[in-house]
Amino acid sequence: MHLIKRNYTRQILTMLICSFLICWSMALIASPVRQEIRQFIDEMVAQHGFNQSKLEDIFNRVQFQPTIIDLISVPASSIPWNKYRARFINSQRIKSGVNFWNEHAQKLEQASQVFGVPAEIIVAIIGVETAYGTTTGKHRVIDALTTLAFDFPRRADFFKSELEQYLLLAQEQNFDLFSIRGSYAGAIGFPQFMPGSYRRYAIDFDGDGKTDLTSNPTDAIGSVANYLKEYGWEAGGPIITRAHVPIDSNHYQEILLAGIEPIHPVKKLRAANIIPLQKTGDERLAALIELKDEDTHQYWLGFKNFYVITRYNRSTFYAMSVLQLAEAIRAARNSSLR
């Protein structure tokens, strides 16, 4: 009799233990706060004094977005320069740029005076980035950054850092983490600043006590100008000039492969038969820039200010689109003011 009771008791205990283990395992599987996220939470608590339970609640509400991984995994298109250019330099974007400039002329002039960055460059960057604030992104930034930080191993460190910056930004500015929408990469507002850039370079340019890049174009104007200035924009300095490059030049490929940082004195380029088509000081540093169409190549010399624009986006196509859109907007505006 005692033996039967002992066996029965063992069976009950075994069933209870198994049930507990099954429930515990299912809870771990179902929990959206994965182990690596818990480790991130611990780091935020230790390094920045965040409340652990609040962070756990936040990450319980985050929605992972597999489509974001698909979007960011698509390799950069190798389309020719003329097709890339057409995306941004067209009649609609030029007209909208003139309207944006006219609407914010006073603040653009102020930004140019304070930071030394031409108004048309500021307008063109906002135009290329978000069509003057009309296409700022549809993804919740917290979802995008969390997805990329923990499900995109190739750049996990970068996006984990940006997620950290976003949490700090929300704490500093006291906004709802789940209310801000941006690009699939987590870029925010009119100028598409990543959270780290937002914290470092965004400014309250209208003096209302808030730094708002999502709905305040004045703050966006000042912040873009400040960003470029902080990266070394030279007020009144040259940006780029066309260059003649003989296809039989012995050194042009070597100079081209050196990259977009201006490290070559113009006199060295002249010695390699790379000739600027505008008057340029021999000691000024430049990089050789190549723009490829289907059948032709263009060659330019990019100076420090061109390189500064590539700190916003490292593509030479991007920087050239900004410059040519800026020129087109200025020309169209000047024409309309005559």
Side-chain angles (χ1 to χ4, degrees), residues 130-303:
T130 61
Y132 315 102
T134 62
T135 57
T136 57
K138 62 183 181 179
H139 300 277
R140 292 197 312 189
V141 170
I142 186 67
D143 294 341
L145 293 176
T146 303
T147 298
L148 293 168
F150 299 105
D151 280 346
F152 189 56
R154 183 163 61 84
R155 298 195 66 195
D157 289 343
F158 170 77
F159 285 109
K160 197 175 294 182
S161 173
E162 291 298 333
L163 177 59
E164 174 187 8
Q165 294 296 313
Y166 183 62
L167 292 171
L168 291 168
L169 179 66
Q171 183 183 68
E172 292 163 356
Q173 299 210 354
N174 195 31
F175 62 69
D176 177 9
L177 281 163
F178 292 89
S179 68
I180 306 298
R181 294 183 180 270
S183 74
Y184 63 78
I188 301 169
F190 279 79
Q192 293 290 274
F193 276 15
M194 292 299 289
S197 292
Y198 201 131
R199 292 187 70 226
R200 285 189 291 272
Y201 306 117
I203 60 173
D204 173 17
F205 199 50
D206 63 0
D208 67 353
K210 296 183 295 183
T211 303
D212 177 13
L213 300 185
T214 61
S215 59
N216 188 330
T218 297
D219 285 356
I221 288 166
S223 297
V224 169
N226 183 52
Y227 183 101
L228 297 177
K229 179 65 175 177
E230 288 294 317
Y231 270 98
W233 184 272
E234 294 180 341
I239 303 175
I240 201 162
T241 185
R242 286 292 292 266
H244 173 68
V245 178
I247 58 173
D248 59 350
S249 170
N250 293 328
H251 303 295
Y252 101 94
Q253 282 289 350
E254 176 185 343
I255 292 171
L256 191 64
L257 290 172
I260 59 176
E261 185 175 358
I263 59 174
H264 308 287
V266 168
K267 64 180 179 182
K268 172 187 172 183
L269 299 176
R270 290 182 191 278
N273 290 322
I274 298 170
I275 311 300
L277 299 186
Q278 293 178 337
K279 185 177 180 180
T280 306
D282 280 349
E283 299 305 318
R284 184 169 289 278
L285 299 179
L288 182 61
I289 307 299
E290 181 182 49
L291 302 179
K292 293 182 181 180
D293 289 340
E294 289 93 336
D295 302 316
T296 62
H297 293 186
Q298 298 178 25
Y299 294 98
W300 300 74
L301 298 185
F303 305 110

Side-chain angles (χ1 to χ4, degrees), residues 104-117 122 205-206 218 221 225:
H104 304 287
Q106 182 181 358
K107 289 300 181 182
L108 283 161
E109 177 62 25
Q110 181 183 347
S112 294
Q113 291 177 357
V114 172
F115 299 103
V117 180
I122 302 170
F205 199 50
D206 63 0
T218 297
I221 288 166

